[in-house]
Amino acid sequence: MDLRQIHYFLTLFEEQSVTRAARRLNIVQPALSMQIAKLEEELGRELFTRTARRMIPTPVAEEMDRLFRPLLREFNNARDQIVHSDHAIGGHIRIGIMPSIGQDLVAGVLVRFAEGYPTVTLSAIEDSNASLVDKVSRGQLDLAYTNSVLRTATIESLPVQSERLVLIMPLNFPTLKQNITQSELNAHKFVLPTRDHGLRDNIESALRQSDLHVVPKIEVDSLLAIARLVEKGLYVSFLPESTLHALVNWHGLKLYSQVLRNVGFVRQIVALHSRHRPLSDAARTFHQMMVGQLFTQLAHVET
């Protein structure tokens, strides 16, 4: 049994798929299968039950994961300390971002991070909340910024920031009551994201907490399309303040927004990471930048 075999085993344990594990390890599938077979032969125990769709860990594999994962973590930490003994941060990090985080916020952090830490390479993807959670649990992402506050056996949540959901309207739109009523909502046509979009959950949760309900006239997941429909004077919608700030700054949209005082019109932004893979120095530094940038931007928006 060697370190490479342990690494292969732990990756397959997480992915439960030879195809995905081999892709993540950047090796061919037969090489992975051969190393796992050698490991099982050495132990004299079966580590996975093979099915047509999954590699299901056996109780022996569960115990191996519990015992060996901390050892590999300590090895990686020791290696990083040697490699970066001059205190330079390096490596590669993988970040996932939900679509409703403002584009200018993310772009600003990416630029500052790349300039400040030139020895770090970074991959950032935009995806739905559900997909980001799945990628974190599978080890495909180091951090994911979502609306999903999760604390499970495999995922930990780091609080980032809370922000208001605001009602966005065309310019010259009449001001509504700060505690909006159902009759006022019924007087307007709404365009909202579809139910597959994480922001829709935030909006409906906010409405439910205030005993309100909206049936949208149009559903579309593109937040830019929503903002343009509102700008044309045909519809109204709800957006987070950071998203509105980005749309106005990046696309020059002319929109009017109103803060509502009803209970619940706030969403939480969290960063998810795996409990099995502690954050690297690079990932922690990126997260600190994201928190600081969002705090600064929302403070600017609210003034």
Side-chain angles (χ1 to χ4, degrees), residues 55-103:
M55 298 283 284
I56 303 173
T58 65
V60 176
E62 297 277 356
E63 182 68 3
M64 274 192 64
D65 177 76
R66 185 184 69 81
L67 293 172
F68 280 100
R69 191 173 296 278
L71 298 179
L72 186 63
R73 182 185 307 141
E74 290 301 318
F75 173 83
N76 289 333
N77 288 340
R79 180 195 59 193
D80 290 343
Q81 288 182 32
I82 297 298
V83 172
H84 305 301
S85 58
D86 59 351
H87 304 294
I89 294 177
H92 180 76
I93 56 175
R94 301 156 297 174
I95 307 297
I97 301 162
M98 61 182 172
S100 59
I101 289 185
Q103 293 174 336

Side-chain angles (χ1 to χ4, degrees), residues 240-275:
E241 285 183 302
S242 64
T243 304
L244 175 62
H245 187 269
L247 291 169
V248 170
N249 284 352
W250 278 57
H251 301 284
L253 297 176
K254 296 178 173 58
L255 297 168
Y256 170 67
S257 65
Q258 183 171 339
V259 175
L260 302 177
R261 301 302 181 190
N262 300 64
V263 174
F265 280 95
V266 174
R267 75 156 179 178
Q268 301 294 324
I269 300 175
V270 299
L272 306 181
H273 72 94
S274 171
R275 290 181 183 272

Side-chain angles (χ1 to χ4, degrees), residues 4 9 29 35-36 69 80 87 90-91 93 109 118 120 122 149 151 155 165 189 206 216 261 279:
R4 181 181 59 174
F9 162 75
Q29 295 181 39
Q35 291 299 326
I36 296 300
R69 191 173 296 278
D80 290 343
H87 304 294
I93 56 175
V109 174
V120 179
L122 185 148
V149 181
R151 287 181 176 83
I155 292 180
L165 292 172
K189 293 186 293 185
R261 301 302 181 190
L279 292 177

Side-chain angles (χ1 to χ4, degrees), residues 41-237:
E41 182 179 359
E42 179 180 344
L43 296 171
R45 309 288 292 276
E46 187 178 58
L47 297 174
F48 297 93
T49 301
R50 281 77 168 168
T51 71
R53 299 182 62 183
R54 292 177 57 201
M55 298 283 284
I56 303 173
T58 65
V60 176
E62 297 277 356
E63 182 68 3
M64 274 192 64
D65 177 76
R66 185 184 69 81
L67 293 172
F68 280 100
R69 191 173 296 278
L71 298 179
L72 186 63
R73 182 185 307 141
E74 290 301 318
F75 173 83
N76 289 333
N77 288 340
R79 180 195 59 193
D80 290 343
Q81 288 182 32
I82 297 298
V83 172
H84 305 301
S85 58
D86 59 351
H87 304 294
I89 294 177
H92 180 76
I93 56 175
R94 301 156 297 174
I95 307 297
I97 301 162
M98 61 182 172
S100 59
I101 289 185
Q103 293 174 336
D104 57 343
L105 181 148
V106 175
V109 174
L110 291 175
V111 169
R112 288 198 301 116
F113 186 83
E115 291 176 347
Y117 302 94
T119 58
V120 179
T121 57
L122 185 148
S123 302
I125 67 166
E126 185 178 88
D127 212 335
S128 67
N129 276 359
S131 181
L132 292 176
V133 170
D134 181 64
K135 286 180 170 63
V136 170
S137 67
R138 293 182 181 279
Q140 297 170 352
L141 293 173
D142 298 299
L143 276 171
Y145 293 89
T146 78
N147 297 318
S148 303
V149 181
L150 294 178
R151 287 181 176 83
T152 69
T154 58
I155 292 180
E156 180 62 69
S157 296
L158 300 173
V160 177
Q161 184 61 276
S162 61
E163 64 174 325
R164 297 177 300 203
L165 292 172
V166 295
L167 184 67
I168 64 167
M169 300 162 283
L171 293 180
N172 303 318
F173 200 82
T175 301
L176 303 177
K177 296 177 182 177
Q178 287 194 332
N179 283 287
I180 198 165
T181 65
Q182 186 65 58
S183 61
E184 286 181 304
L185 290 178
N186 293 341
H188 305 292
K189 293 186 293 185
F190 275 82
V191 53
L192 297 178
T194 69
R195 294 185 182 279
D196 292 329
H197 198 290
L199 181 57
R200 180 67 176 272
D201 289 337
N202 292 148
I203 294 170
E204 293 196 337
S205 175
L207 290 166
R208 282 195 301 271
Q209 290 184 56
S210 299
D211 295 322
L212 300 172
H213 178 67
V214 163
V215 178
K217 187 75 173 178
I218 294 179
E219 295 178 315
V220 58
D221 281 344
S222 169
L223 302 183
L224 177 58
I226 289 175
R228 290 202 183 281
L229 286 170
V230 172
E231 185 185 40
K232 290 180 181 295
L234 303 175
Y235 302 93
V236 298
S237 188

